[in-house]
Amino acid sequence: MATKDLPKKYNSLDTEKKWIDNWEKEGVYKYDAEASREKTYVIDTPPPTVSGSLHVGHVFSYTQTDIVARYQRMKGKNIFYPIGWDDNGLPTERRVQTLYGIRCNPTLAYDENFQLKKAKDGTKDQKEVSRKNFLEACEVQTGEDEKKYEALWRHLGLSFDWEQQYETINDHSRKISQASFLDLKDKGYVYSSKSPTMWDTTFQTAVAQAEVEERDKSGHYHDITFKTETNESFVISTTRPELLAACIAVVAHPDDERYQHLFGKHAITPLFHAKVPILPAEHADPEKGTGILMVCTFGDTADVDFWKSSDLPLKQIIGRSGKLVEITFGEDVFNSEKPVEANKVYSQLVGLYAKQAKKVMADLLAESGDLVGEPRPTEQIAKFYEKGDQPLEFISTRQWFIKILENKSSLIEQGKKIKWYPEHMYKRYEQWVEGLNQDWCISRQRFFGVPFPVWYKLDAEGEPKYDEPIYATMDMLPVDPQMDTAPGFDESQRGKANGFMGDPDVMDTWATSSVSPQVSSHWTIDDKRHAQLFPADLRPQAHEIIRTWAFYTITKSWMHEKKVPWHNIAISGWVVNPDRKKMSKSKGNTVTPEDLIETYSSDALRYWAGKAKLGQDTIYDENVFKIGQRLGTKVFNASKFVMMQLEDEEGNPCQATMADITEPLDKAWVTKINKLIEDSTRSFDKYEYNIVLSNVEASFWEFCDLYVELVKTRAYKQREQASGKSAQATLEWTLKTFLKLFAPFLPFICDEVWSWSFAQKEDQPSIHKAPWPAVETGEAFTQSSTQLIDLAKEVMMVARGEKSTQQKSLRWPVEEMIVEGTKEHLDSFATFAGDIALATNLKNNPVTKEISSKPEETFFNVKVTLSETKE
RNA sequence: GGGCGUAUAGCUCAGUUGGUUAGAGCACCUGCCUUACAAGCAGGGGGUCAGAAGUUCGAAUCUUCUUACGCCCACCA
C-alpha cells in the first residue's frame, strides 16, 4: 500500500475489528496437532468463573499470558492456548437463583413445560423446580455469559485457539473429572467417611479447608455456673451458650492448679442436667476465660479434635440448615438427670437458628440464675465459607475425601520441581501444604456440578450400604447416577428396598479445575494428544489461588501419573486501588473493559498490562492507558512517515537491502538495535516481558526523535545514491524490527502496519506468525560502535538546546558549529557531519578543533551560533 | 504469633552481577507548526532512594535492626 493511500488518522476501533476478523479467517492462532512436543508450547489457561462480567483485573492477567503466548509463537513454537469457562458450581447456582427466582428441589419431577423467565429485581420469592429444570436454567445462563466473555477476549486480542474452547460442566470435562475420581479410587487416594465436616448452613454443603476464610466477628462471653455431682461449682466462659445441650465434657489444662480437684468427677450442665465428665485437656488455656471450658459437638475445631480422640458420644443439635434440630433428653446420647425439665427447656430452642437460640439460651440462663453477670462483648475470629455470610458449623456428614495429609512431603517435592515466577511465590505453596490439617473434602451437597460416578445398594430396609459402593467403569463415563441406572440393576429398582440409589452429591469445582491440563490433553481418551500436551509448559494464575488451583492441580497430576502438571508457573499480581487494597468488583464494574477499549483501544489496555511486572500488584491508573494509546498512535504515524522515505514520487517502493547499509552512522544504529533484540529475547525468556516493553518503547521514541530526524533528509533527497539507500535500508529494517518487538504487546497496530508492505515482502500475512527478530550478524553490525549514536545525539542536543533557549523553531538556521574533541572524536564526527548539517540546518561547514587527550576528562564539546535571520 | 512482599521525584513506575552526576512517563514551567504525529517536538525545574547501623575504595543495590503498608497462614473458648 502506498503511503498516499493511508488514512490520515489512526482509528483503533476499526482496525481492531478488521484484524479480529482477519485472524479468525486466516487461522493465525490455530494449534497444529501434528507438530512435535518440542516445537509445541502448551499453556494451561485459567478458565474464568462465569459470573456475569469480566473486569479490569481479568484483562490485566489474561493479557500478560497472551503476551507470552505471542512471543513464543513468533519464536516458532506451535502454541496450544485453549480457553475454558468455569461455569460449574456454586457461583452459577447462586446467580441463577437470583436472576430467575428459582431454587432446586431434587425431589420434584422434571417439568417439560417449564418456562424460564428472568425474575424481577430484588424479589425474594423463589419457585422450586426439579434438578433437571434447574440445571437447564444454569446452562442457559452460562451460555449467555460465555458469549459476552468471548466477545471481550476477542476484542482484547487474546490469541486463543477458539476451537479448543471448553466448559468445565460439559460432557468432556465431566468425563475427565469422573475418570480422575475413579483413577484416584483405584490408586487408593480416595475414601468416604462420615465425620464432622465444615459445613455452610446457607448453601447447605460441606466446604474444603481451602475455601474457608477467617473473619472478625463480634460475640459475647457468657459466664455460666456449672455444678458437679458433689455440688461443687465453677464457672465456664463460652461464646456459644446455644450449644449447652450439646455439651459432652468439661475440660481444663492438666497442670491448672485450680481445677485439679475436679478431674475425674462429673459436672451437671445447667438447665439440661446432663452428667458430663471433667477431664484434663492440653488445648485448654489457663490464661483464657476462667481456664475451664465446656466441650460441645461442635463449637470449633478444638472440639472436633477432642471428640475424635475421646470415646464420648456425638450430640449433634445443629442441623444442616443451621437450626437446632429436634432431640429428646433421656433418649440415646442425650442423657439427663431431669429429662422432663430438660425437654421443657429445649422445646423453647428447637427450630431456632443458632444465633436466635443463643439469645433465648442467655435469657433462660439468666432466669435460672446460672448466668454470672451480663454477657461481655468480645471480638472473636470465626471461620466462614468464602462465599457465605454465616459462620461455618461442624456437622457430621458423609463426604468423599482425597488423602493429602499423608502425602504432604511428596507434594512439597513436586512443587520444587516447578519453576515459579516470581520465585518467592513457591514459599506460599510450601507454607500452605505444610499447614494443611485436613484431607481434601471433594463432595458438595449441591446440584450444578460433576456428579460422583457412584451408586449404593439399598438394604432390605431401603437404607444405603455405604461400605459397598458401586463404581462406574471408565467406558460408561460421563454418568449421572441420578439419571443412569447402576450396573446390574434395573431402573425400576431405584430407591426401592434391595435396589439402588445414586450418590446425591456433586464434586467441588476444584475437583474439575484441578484436571484442567488433563481436560485439555484428553487424558484417558487420546494418548497421542496427551503425550503432546502434558505436562504443559506454563500455568498462569493469580496468587490467592495458589492454595487451591495450583495446589490441587499439582496434587492430582502427582497422584495420577507421578508428574508435575507444568514446568513453569507464572503468578500475576492484582489490580489494586490507590489504597493498595484489591480492587473491588463493584468499583471495577463502574467502568467496564469494553468502555475502556472504546476510549483507549485494546492495544492501550494491553500496554498497561504489559508494563506490570509478574507477581506485582499494580495500581489502577487510567493515565497508563493514555500513554499506551499515544504509543499506538505514534507507531501509526512514525510508520507512515518511514514508509514515505521508502517510496519514490510515484509511490513505488525502494529496493534497498541490508547490503546497502554502508554509512557508519547507519551501521552503528543497526548495532544498537541488535543489542535491543538480544536484551529483549533474554528478558522474554525469563518472563520479564515488562522490561522488554519498557526498553523497546524507549528505543522506539529515540528512533523517532533522533535517528529518523538525522537521516530523513538523506533518505529522501539522496534516494538514488548509495548514501540514500543506506538510510532507506536501515529505516526499513528498523521499523520492521520494532513492529516485531512490539507485536506481542500491541498486536493490532503492529499487524496493521505490517500489512502495508511487509506482509507482501516477507510473504507472511500476519506479523504474529512472522519470526521473532534475529540479530543482524554481518561484520558491519557487530564491529560497529554505538558510540557514534551517542556523539550524534550530543551534537543534536546542543543545537536543539540553543534554538530552544533562543525561542527559535527547530528549522532555524545554524550559522556556525564548532566541534572540539580528540582525533578519535573528530574522525567519528566526520562520518555523520553531513547528516548533522541537514538535520540542524547548518549553513557553513562545521569547524573542528582537535585537542590532546586527557583521559580523566570529557572533551567532546560542541558550540553553535544561530543565524540572525531565518533565511 | 509465623511467613512472604513492598517502600526510589507531587503521581505511576524502571533501576540487571555493588561502579561516574539515580532514570522514564504523567503533572508542572519556557518555547516551537519542523517531509508523519499539537494525541506532536525542543528545552527546563523537581529526589537525604522509608529510618538507623554495618560490610566495602565505593551502597538505591549486600547484611542486621526499626517503621509503615499489603498479602498469605495460625484452635478462634
Side-chain angles (χ1 to χ4, degrees):
Chain A
M1 190 187 283
T3 48
K4 59 181 161 50
D5 304 325
L6 293 173
K8 179 94 182 99
K9 292 245 173 205
Y10 175 52
N11 182 323
S12 56
L13 270 179
D14 289 352
T15 306
E16 284 155 10
K17 202 181 165 313
K18 169 177 154 192
W19 287 102
I20 291 162
D21 292 346
N22 271 6
W23 293 334
E24 180 66 25
K25 218 163 50 210
E26 299 288 330
V28 172
Y29 307 128
K30 262 218 187 92
Y31 152 72
D32 173 9
E34 298 307 317
S36 68
R37 178 64 189 90
E38 293 70 44
K39 286 220 157 131
T40 305
Y41 186 86
V42 183
I43 300 174
D44 180 22
T45 320
T49 305
V50 176
S51 60
S53 58
L54 293 162
H55 54 86
V56 287
H58 289 110
V59 168
F60 182 72
S61 56
Y62 278 77
T63 300
Q64 291 174 343
T65 306
D66 185 64
I67 288 167
V68 172
R70 286 180 180 278
Y71 165 68
Q72 293 288 348
R73 190 178 290 112
M74 291 176 80
K75 288 277 280 184
K77 288 286 175 72
N78 168 39
I79 306 296
F80 181 78
Y81 189 19
I83 179 70
W85 310 115
D86 191 11
D87 42 17
N88 162 5
L90 199 49
T92 297
E93 287 192 28
R94 285 209 301 180
R95 216 167 121 64
V96 164
Q97 284 180 349
T98 51
L99 273 175
Y100 297 100
I102 56 173
R103 190 169 66 227
C104 178
N105 180 344
T107 62
L108 294 178
Y110 180 60
D111 177 359
E112 272 182 43
N113 300 316
F114 176 69
Q115 293 281 325
L116 193 60
K117 283 197 303 271
K118 289 254 163 81
K120 284 186 195 128
D121 275 352
T123 183
K124 292 265 173 192
D125 294 334
Q126 289 184 345
K127 181 179 155 61
E128 290 196 337
V129 299
S130 75
R131 186 168 177 273
K132 195 170 173 201
N133 287 117
F134 187 73
L135 296 187
E136 283 174 359
C138 288
E139 273 166 29
V140 167
Q141 186 53 43
T142 54
E144 270 183 35
D145 287 345
E146 285 156 18
K147 280 209 192 75
K148 284 196 292 183
Y149 281 29
E150 178 176 345
L152 177 62
W153 281 166
R154 282 184 185 270
H155 200 170
L156 194 61
L158 300 186
S159 58
F160 298 123
D161 178 355
W162 289 95
E163 281 176 25
Q164 306 296 333
Q165 194 177 169
Y166 67 93
E167 300 86 40
T168 58
I169 195 68
N170 72 13
D171 279 351
H172 174 73
S173 300
R174 287 175 200 243
K175 184 169 179 167
I176 305 291
S177 304
Q178 291 181 335
S180 165
F181 173 84
L182 293 176
D183 186 56
L184 294 188
K185 180 265 296 177
D186 289 342
K187 294 191 160 99
Y189 291 118
V190 160
Y191 66 95
S192 86
S193 92
K194 188 169 195 283
S195 69
T197 311
M198 288 187 287
W199 183 270
D200 183 274
T201 55
T202 311
F203 298 108
Q204 300 196 31
T205 180
V207 302
Q209 191 178 351
E211 298 163 289
V212 172
E213 63 186 30
E214 299 190 338
R215 298 182 202 157
D216 292 329
K217 182 174 167 289
S218 53
H220 290 85
Y221 279 123
H222 297 70
D223 296 334
I224 303 171
T225 310
F226 274 51
K227 293 219 163 79
T228 65
E229 52 206 326
T230 51
N231 219 23
E232 296 166 274
S233 75
F234 58 92
V235 175
I236 63 111
S237 265
T238 180
T239 55
R240 302 207 59 183
E242 75 275 18
L243 292 179
L244 185 57
C247 178
I248 56 165
V250 167
V251 299
H253 195 272
D255 301 333
D256 196 328
E257 292 298 327
R258 295 168 294 179
Y259 302 112
Q260 293 295 325
H261 63 290
L262 296 176
F263 292 144
K265 295 178 181 168
H266 285 80
I268 309 292
T269 62
L271 299 179
F272 300 113
H273 309 286
K275 197 165 150 184
V276 297
I278 303 173
L279 301 165
E282 292 287 343
H283 76 270
D285 182 351
E287 304 292 317
K288 276 190 187 158
T290 55
I292 189 160
L293 62 142
M294 64 172 181
V295 176
C296 307
T297 48
F298 297 96
D300 57 28
T301 51
D303 288 348
V304 175
D305 292 344
F306 185 84
W307 173 80
K308 276 186 180 166
S309 62
S310 73
D311 292 326
L312 296 168
L314 171 60
K315 298 181 180 175
Q316 187 75 54
I317 64 164
I318 303 279
R320 294 184 173 208
S321 61
K323 294 176 186 171
L324 270 63
V325 295
E326 224 162 288
I327 56 161
T328 310
F329 279 93
E331 283 180 16
D332 299 327
V333 295
F334 290 96
N335 62 313
S336 174
E337 305 294 299
K338 299 173 182 170
V340 179
E341 271 182 45
N343 284 322
K344 209 176 132 194
V345 172
Y346 194 80
S347 68
Q348 298 175 65
L349 299 166
V350 70
L352 299 181
Y353 284 108
K355 207 171 154 185
Q356 302 166 314
K358 191 192 300 275
K359 259 190 110 178
V360 173
M361 197 70 215
D363 291 343
L364 289 169
L365 285 164
E367 238 169 79
S368 69
D370 295 308
L371 188 67
V372 183
E374 287 288 306
R376 294 170 286 121
T378 173
E379 280 305 312
Q380 48 178 170
I381 300 164
K383 283 187 195 300
F384 284 77
Y385 174 43
E386 59 190 357
K387 297 187 172 71
D389 50 15
Q390 293 296 320
L392 293 174
E393 296 288 351
F394 286 88
I395 295 185
S396 183
T397 49
R398 175 161 298 278
Q399 306 291 349
W400 287 102
F401 293 90
I402 292 180
K403 293 178 185 171
I404 49 181
L405 292 185
E406 60 193 56
N407 298 306
K408 276 159 89 166
S409 59
S410 302
L411 294 172
I412 287 174
E413 281 311 305
Q414 290 302 101
K416 285 184 188 158
K417 292 179 191 167
I418 297 161
K419 268 198 89 122
W420 296 72
Y421 297 90
E423 213 178 330
H424 66 81
M425 289 294 179
Y426 164 73
K427 277 272 162 204
R428 295 209 181 185
Y429 172 82
E430 186 183 82
Q431 216 204 335
W432 170 254
V433 180
E434 279 171 355
L436 280 166
N437 54 33
Q438 294 167 34
D439 277 337
W440 177 15
C441 174
I442 55 165
S443 45
R444 297 290 180 273
Q445 287 64 51
R446 299 298 304 183
F447 317 102
F448 194 56
V450 178
F452 287 83
V454 179
W455 298 263
Y456 304 101
K457 286 181 193 163
L458 301 180
D459 65 15
E461 269 77 51
E463 290 296 316
K465 299 202 241 178
Y466 287 112
D467 49 354
E468 290 179 44
I470 305 163
Y471 294 102
T473 50
M474 288 285 191
D475 57 307
M476 298 168 71
L477 307 183
V479 297
D480 182 349
Q482 304 305 317
M483 311 291 287
D484 302 318
T485 312
F489 286 87
D490 188 88
E491 187 56 29
S492 64
Q493 292 173 282
R494 184 182 291 275
K496 304 273 168 60
N498 297 313
F500 73 97
M501 64 172 261
D503 189 303
D505 293 347
V506 296
M507 293 181 200
D508 171 11
T509 319
W510 295 114
T512 299
S513 308
S514 59
V515 284
S516 59
Q518 291 92 336
V519 166
S520 290
S521 72
H522 296 188
W523 174 66
T524 69
I525 297 169
D526 182 342
D527 290 347
K528 185 183 161 223
R529 182 180 162 108
H530 183 64
Q532 197 202 18
L533 298 178
F534 189 92
D537 291 282
L538 178 67
R539 154 64 70 88
Q541 66 162 81
H543 49 72
E544 80 275 17
I545 51 174
I546 289 174
R547 66 179 188 168
T548 48
W549 198 33
F551 169 63
Y552 290 145
T553 310
I554 292 170
T555 300
K556 282 214 172 174
S557 288
W558 178 76
M559 289 181 172
H560 289 311
E561 299 186 79
K562 295 284 177 285
K563 284 183 180 169
V564 292
W566 359 263
H567 302 299
N568 303 286
I569 179 165
I571 309 290
S572 63
W574 282 347
V575 179
V576 295
N577 292 321
D579 63 2
R580 310 246 163 214
K581 299 230 167 101
K582 191 180 182 186
M583 206 168 169
S584 71
K585 278 198 179 173
S586 55
K587 276 185 190 161
N589 281 347
T590 55
V591 187
T592 68
E594 287 288 357
D595 292 339
L596 292 173
I597 290 179
E598 280 191 31
T599 310
Y600 300 105
S601 83
S602 287
D603 284 340
L605 263 67
R606 297 176 56 100
Y607 170 85
W608 163 68
K611 284 285 267 191
K613 216 188 263 183
L614 211 48
Q616 191 123 313
D617 295 349
T618 291
I619 291 181
Y620 179 79
D621 179 4
E622 293 202 8
N623 258 324
V624 184
F625 302 150
K626 280 188 194 153
I627 298 162
Q629 184 185 26
R630 280 203 334 217
L631 178 61
T633 307
K634 188 75 178 178
V635 170
F636 177 86
N637 287 321
S639 301
K640 211 165 63 171
F641 185 63
V642 168
M643 293 295 192
M644 278 170 61
Q645 315 309 312
L646 308 178
E647 291 172 358
D648 61 20
E649 280 77 2
E650 280 79 49
N652 300 312
C654 76
Q655 300 299 332
T657 65
M658 293 309 279
D660 291 315
I661 301 178
T662 48
E663 291 288 318
L665 185 73
D666 300 338
K667 289 194 271 189
W669 178 259
V670 172
T671 308
K672 193 178 164 94
I673 299 302
N674 262 348
K675 181 154 188 316
L676 176 69
I677 295 170
E678 251 173 13
D679 290 348
S680 299
T681 307
R682 196 176 312 119
S683 295
F684 244 133
D685 285 337
K686 291 187 283 182
Y687 296 93
E688 289 171 357
Y689 51 79
N690 61 307
I691 295 179
V692 178
L693 180 53
S694 295
N695 289 342
V696 173
E697 184 188 14
S699 299
F700 179 69
W701 287 99
E702 186 173 48
F703 171 64
C704 295
D705 300 335
L706 180 71
Y707 181 76
V708 172
E709 289 296 323
L710 273 169
V711 306
K712 65 184 184 185
T713 316
R714 168 157 56 96
Y716 191 68
K717 297 250 166 88
Q718 305 171 13
R719 62 174 59 254
E720 300 304 329
Q721 302 160 33
S723 57
K725 287 214 179 310
S726 176
Q728 287 179 336
T730 312
L731 286 170
E732 182 169 27
W733 176 81
T734 307
L735 178 63
K736 190 167 71 185
T737 301
F738 272 120
L739 289 176
K740 287 179 171 185
L741 292 172
F742 273 133
F745 303 96
L746 316 173
F748 293 100
I749 183 63
C750 290
D751 228 359
E752 173 65 23
V753 175
W754 180 261
S755 72
W756 295 346
S757 78
F758 293 124
Q760 293 77 27
K761 282 194 174 177
E762 309 275 317
D763 193 24
Q764 178 47 262
S766 173
I767 193 172
H768 304 295
K769 296 282 259 186
W772 183 249
V775 167
E776 281 299 326
T777 50
E779 205 174 295
F781 312 120
T782 44
Q783 305 286 311
S784 286
S785 163
T786 57
Q787 213 201 341
L788 275 193
I789 304 291
D790 296 334
L791 288 180
K793 190 174 184 176
E794 177 81 27
V795 180
M796 287 293 277
M797 272 179 70
V798 172
R800 287 166 164 177
E802 189 60 26
K803 290 175 187 183
S804 200
T805 312
Q806 298 198 26
Q807 310 203 336
K808 297 287 192 286
S809 89
L810 290 179
R811 280 315 299 162
W812 196 272
V814 174
E815 190 67 36
E816 186 184 54
M817 177 180 287
I818 302 168
V819 180
E820 293 179 333
T822 61
K823 181 167 187 308
E824 252 186 315
H825 285 133
L826 297 181
D827 287 350
S828 295
F829 176 76
T831 65
F832 58 79
D835 287 333
I836 291 288
L838 291 168
T840 60
N841 200 8
L842 178 61
K843 289 170 93 172
N844 303 303
N845 284 334
V847 179
T848 54
K849 286 186 187 170
E850 185 177 334
I851 52 176
S852 56
S853 72
K854 283 186 233 153
E856 71 279 9
E857 283 173 31
T858 324
F859 13 66
F860 187 69
N861 195 18
V862 182
K863 276 186 215 133
V864 299
T865 313
L866 301 188
S867 297
E868 293 294 324
T869 61
K870 210 178 167 186
E871 267 66 62

